[in-house]
Structures are given as C-alpha cells and as structure tokens.
Amino acid sequence: MTLSTPCYCGFDKAYSQCCEPFHNGIQRAPTAEALMRSRYSAFVLRLEKYLLATWDKSSRPKQAGLTDVETEWQGLEVISCKKGLASDGRGAVEFKAHYRFNGEDCTLHEISRFSKQQGQWFYLDGMVKSMTKPGQQTNLGLNAPCSCGSGKKYKRCCGASA
C-alpha cells in the first residue's frame, strides 16, 4: 500500500487520508456514514480488532466473522443516510456492498444502525434487505431464520458478520 492507494470505502481520497486514521486510532469517525465506510474498509483489509472495537457492546459478537477467505470485496455503494451527523446520537446508513464469492458476483443490501456514546460512533445492528449469493437471492430480515440452515435467527448467525 502506498500513500496514494485509493480508499476501499469508495470516497475519492487516498486510504491514508480517509479510513486509515480511523483504523489506526488516530481519529474517530465523525459521522455514522464515516464509521460505516471505515468498517467496510476494515472488512476488505480483514481488521477484526477494529471491527469489534467499533461494534456496540450490546450486540458485539466474540468474533467478527472474517474466516471466509473466499470473499473478495468489490465496492461500496451508499444509498442513503438518516441522521448520524456529528450532532446526532443515532443514525442509519443504507448501502450495498458488492463482492465476489467463489468467482461469482454477489451483493449485500443492508440498513445499518449506529449509536454515539461519549463522542464515539458504534455499529449497533443491521437489517439485511437482500443478499445475493451464487445462484440465489434472499430477502432477509434480522429476525428471519438464517438461510444457512443453522436454526438460528439471521442476526445471530450469518448476519452477525455482515
């Protein structure tokens, strides 16, 4: 990586001037959208420590779910933001994360919720609107049974790492 490497989150900035200061703890994300973008970049870079540190304690799993080495993140598309500004205490960001899995194009469409505590934004949870996987498209809600067949709710299974 060089100082001019484009940021993975989709902003027209170098990674060193965009998400890297958040990942290194030099700065805190000033908005819910900035945190969501930095978390996407953290998924790309497989920065589990950062993902867990920016996950609200009330919903944080023990692991960030980065065991899937077949996922190749392709891009982030922010659709909308509701609240989540520096002066807000809560916010929501709707996005589509595009990726390749086992050589096939896939998309995760989610609305993520964020809360701000003591001046720092945290990922609270997300509602998956749709997910395309190789050969299938699924419309999921957080409380729907997980499509992997585990018997758990989606939010406590495959959705926990989304």
Side-chain angles (χ1 to χ4, degrees):
M1 228 179 302
T2 67
L3 288 177
S4 61
T5 300
C7 195
Y8 306 97
C9 78
F11 268 149
D12 191 23
K13 287 182 175 181
Y15 171 69
S16 63
Q17 300 298 310
C18 193
C19 291
E20 186 176 38
F22 304 140
H23 294 163
N24 291 338
I26 296 169
Q27 294 177 12
R28 289 183 177 176
T31 64
E33 180 182 353
L35 179 62
M36 191 280 307
R37 287 180 177 278
S38 72
R39 287 176 55 82
Y40 172 83
S41 291
F43 272 102
V44 172
L45 296 168
R46 306 180 72 74
L47 303 175
E48 183 171 46
K49 187 175 178 180
Y50 179 79
L51 290 167
L52 293 173
T54 58
W55 210 313
D56 186 271
K57 288 178 184 177
S58 69
S59 59
R60 181 185 307 148
K62 291 182 181 187
Q63 297 177 332
L66 298 178
T67 57
D68 180 11
V69 295
E70 301 297 323
T71 301
E72 181 184 334
W73 297 99
Q74 300 290 305
L76 177 67
E77 175 187 351
V78 174
I79 297 167
S80 68
C81 299
K82 293 183 181 171
K83 296 191 176 184
L85 300 175
S87 60
D88 295 324
R90 292 201 174 263
V93 180
E94 181 176 358
F95 68 91
K96 289 184 179 180
H98 304 283
Y99 61 100
R100 290 187 62 77
F101 182 79
N102 289 332
E104 294 191 44
D105 292 329
C106 304
T107 302
L108 167 67
H109 183 183
E110 179 176 310
I111 299 174
S112 291
R113 294 186 320 146
F114 299 86
S115 66
K116 191 160 108 178
Q117 301 158 26
Q118 298 176 345
Q120 183 172 348
W121 284 102
F122 292 93
Y123 169 76
L124 186 57
D125 59 23
M127 182 187 76
V128 176
K129 292 188 76 166
S130 67
M131 180 185 295
T132 58
K133 292 182 178 180
Q136 87 182 126
Q137 177 165 352
T138 309
N139 290 322
L140 298 169
L142 282 175
N143 292 313
C146 192
S147 60
C148 77
S150 68
K152 297 179 183 178
K153 290 182 180 183
Y154 177 75
K155 68 181 178 183
R156 297 286 181 224
C157 191
C158 294
S161 63

